[in-house]
Amino acid sequence: MTQQTASKKVINGWAMYDWANSVYNLVITTTFFPIYFLAVTSNRSDHKVNFLGREFVNSSLYDYVLAVAYLLIALLYPILTSIADTRGNKKNFMRFFCYMGALGCSALFFFKADTLGLGVFAFMLAAMGYVGSLVFYNAYLPEIAAPQDRDRVSARGYSFGYIGSVIMQIVGFALILVMSDQGMATRLTFLLVGIWWFLFAQISFSRLPESDSKPEKKGNVIREGFGEIQKVYAEIKKMPVLKRFLRGFFFYSMGVQTVMLAATIFGSKLLKLPDTNLIITVVIIQVVAILGAWGMSKLSALFGNLKVLLAVIVFWIAICILAYYTAVMAEGGINAEYLFYGLAVLVGLVMGGIQALSRSTYAKLMPPTKDTASFFSYYDFTEKLAIVIGIFTFGRIEEVTGSMKNSVLSLIVFFAIGFFWLYSALHKEKQNHLAL
């Protein structure tokens, strides 16, 4: 029986979770929080800070905290998704991590220079809530959208996310302009992000269907969880296109996610751009990203998913090369401000599109199964492990070499390896006469 795409009400309800949680991704990890974190930890001329009895470069500490948060939640994925698939409570886990993330964002309201430990803990809580809920959110895609509609539905989610996050970004920016105490305005923005995330997520929870899987016998959840991952891995090994796609996805995600997470720190610390300029730049990136996600969905219908992804990776490599020379110019005392703005627009064009298309490509390549959470756990584990390696490498190279431009160069290697594996997947796709 041919699968039917769910009603418009359900599809929009699913996409509204992107509207709800993307404010974290934009306001917390991309704009306001990186700027605020650098501001409250830059009391010394060498930009170092004491934490847990060790001195860190403040921007590297930021990278390490994110890497640890993503690693912790990635290690929990197999257990959580196994419980969700075998006990039919996918929505409950999505709700739990949503509330964890919203609480973490709200708690950042109390983060000041003398409460670094609280700030780090709240930041980790927010990050874990965000990535923890996404695996259950993504797992709904193959359940509510027929294969031919998954590119479109996936892009709709990202588009909703960009629109919602831009609105929240503008609210935060307005607070900073209106209030005399910019620190208070920024912390109030963190609180509003948590409230926004919590409230709009209720639309998704009210519209998403309950899981149709029936509770099975309850055994050891750790053994069951990693057993599910082994089962998914065993199935993927038999599917040459999916296997090669995931290898490519792993490596190019190291580059994509690191660029997105480190871009604001790059502009703030290396180029020393005013906070206002950075905030406006990120808003422009989000607006451009809406068009990018929509445009890439259209291109994939014309040329196929893998071909479009290969072209986009080449585009990302070009962005990294330009970013490296931007850093060289900045370190040499040359004004590279407008080059950075141009880079921001280029990133926006491919940022949302590559994420939406990667998610829908995986959903298309997945075998028919009711264990969607376990399969998307594998996908999200791959992505989050890539983020851990990418962001840790970025921070470590800067700390060792003393220059962020060297960190940028490392990203080109990740994209190149990802390109190789995607090209291999495309070759297998043609051999197997698949239609992606």
Side-chain angles (χ1 to χ4, degrees):
M1 183 178 177
T2 304
Q3 181 187 354
Q4 298 294 314
T5 296
S7 67
K8 187 175 181 180
K9 180 180 180 180
V10 172
I11 295 297
N12 285 339
W14 177 80
M16 277 303 295
Y17 190 72
D18 237 322
W19 172 288
N21 77 348
S22 287
V23 293
Y24 157 82
N25 209 23
L26 177 61
V27 177
I28 303 299
T29 63
T30 307
T31 328
F32 288 88
F33 187 72
I35 295 171
Y36 183 79
F37 187 87
L38 291 182
V40 299
T41 58
S42 294
N43 298 323
R44 291 166 46 173
S45 59
D46 58 1
H47 300 291
K48 288 190 175 182
V49 61
N50 289 308
F51 183 67
L52 298 179
R54 185 183 181 278
E55 283 196 338
F56 296 89
V57 175
N58 57 357
S59 53
S60 293
L61 175 61
Y62 177 90
D63 295 336
Y64 296 155
V65 171
L66 263 184
V68 170
Y70 278 50
L71 179 61
L72 288 174
I73 202 67
L75 293 175
L76 287 174
Y77 269 166
I79 301 169
L80 298 173
T81 51
S82 173
I83 296 173
D85 270 337
T86 59
R87 291 158 177 78
N89 53 4
K90 187 183 306 177
K91 191 191 293 188
N92 288 342
F93 275 93
M94 183 175 162
R95 185 183 284 114
F96 171 80
F97 281 105
C98 164
Y99 296 164
M100 175 195 289
L103 177 63
C105 292
S106 300
L108 287 173
F109 175 79
F110 302 101
F111 174 33
K112 299 179 182 179
D114 58 348
T115 56
L116 178 62
L118 171 64
V120 166
F121 176 74
F123 183 39
M124 288 184 65
L125 203 65
M128 292 175 69
Y130 174 72
V131 298
S133 64
L134 276 184
V135 66
F136 302 104
Y137 168 68
N138 288 337
Y140 271 106
L141 179 59
E143 290 188 8
I144 64 174
Q148 68 272 17
D149 293 326
R150 286 174 190 167
D151 290 341
R152 176 181 60 82
V153 173
S154 182
R156 176 180 287 254
Y158 277 102
S159 297
F160 271 43
Y162 290 128
I163 295 170
S165 56
V166 165
I167 293 173
M168 188 67 243
Q169 182 92 329
I170 293 172
V171 170
F173 187 44
L175 287 173
I176 288 176
L177 291 178
V178 171
M179 297 177 65
S180 57
D181 187 342
Q182 291 196 350
M184 172 59 77
T186 304
R187 291 188 288 113
L188 185 58
T189 301
F190 299 154
L191 177 61
L192 290 176
V193 166
I195 295 171
W196 174 292
W197 188 353
F198 174 84
L199 290 179
F200 282 109
Q202 304 311 313
I203 298 174
S204 301
F205 297 143
S206 67
R207 295 185 182 182
L208 285 173
E210 297 295 335
S211 176
D212 57 3
S213 62
K214 295 179 180 179
E216 300 173 1
K217 63 179 182 179
K218 298 182 180 181
N220 185 299
V221 293
I222 297 177
R223 189 185 309 117
E224 282 181 0
F226 285 95
E228 284 295 312
I229 289 295
Q230 286 180 329
K231 283 167 55 180
V232 172
Y233 178 67
E235 288 199 53
I236 288 173
K237 284 201 301 184
K238 301 173 187 175
M239 306 177 72
V241 178
L242 179 56
K243 177 175 67 177
R244 286 164 172 78
F245 165 74
L246 277 174
R247 289 174 181 173
F249 172 71
F250 176 71
F251 283 101
Y252 72 68
S253 289
M254 291 184 195
V256 172
Q257 298 294 336
T258 303
V259 169
M260 291 166 58
L261 293 170
T264 303
I265 288 181
F266 180 88
S268 177
K269 186 174 181 180
L270 192 63
L271 303 182
K272 297 179 173 56
L273 298 178
D275 295 351
T276 301
N277 294 28
L278 284 170
I279 294 169
I280 293 173
T281 301
V282 174
V283 171
I284 293 172
I285 289 176
Q286 303 305 307
V287 173
V288 174
I290 297 169
L291 300 175
W294 175 83
M296 211 170 290
S297 165
K298 297 295 182 183
L299 288 173
S300 67
L302 293 174
F303 302 106
N305 291 33
L306 294 179
K307 288 181 180 178
V308 173
L309 284 171
L310 283 168
V312 172
I313 289 174
V314 173
F315 200 90
W316 274 103
I317 291 173
I319 288 173
C320 289
I321 293 171
L322 286 173
Y324 173 77
Y325 283 106
T326 301
V328 170
M329 291 171 63
E331 290 185 351
I334 302 172
N335 187 352
E337 179 179 352
Y338 291 101
L339 184 55
F340 175 77
Y341 298 148
L343 276 170
V345 173
L346 295 179
V347 167
L349 280 173
V350 290
M351 180 177 71
I354 195 169
Q355 294 179 93
L357 196 57
S358 296
R359 180 171 63 185
S360 60
T361 301
Y362 182 74
K364 284 181 176 181
L365 288 171
M366 275 173 50
T369 179
K370 289 185 177 180
D371 294 335
T372 54
S374 290
F375 266 86
F376 266 96
S377 169
Y378 194 90
Y379 174 84
D380 283 295
F381 177 82
T382 300
E383 182 184 47
K384 299 313 177 284
L385 187 59
I387 294 173
V388 170
I389 296 172
I391 198 70
F392 179 85
T393 301
F394 194 88
R396 186 60 181 160
I397 290 175
E398 182 197 358
E399 197 168 32
V400 171
T401 66
S403 175
M404 205 178 287
K405 72 175 186 291
N406 299 317
S407 299
V408 173
L409 273 183
S410 69
L411 302 181
I412 297 175
V413 178
F414 299 147
F415 281 117
I417 298 173
F419 181 92
F420 167 80
W421 281 113
L422 270 194
Y423 183 80
S424 177
L426 178 63
H427 180 67
K428 278 292 179 182
E429 176 198 6
K430 291 178 179 177
Q431 286 184 335
N432 295 349
H433 305 291
L434 295 177
L436 285 177

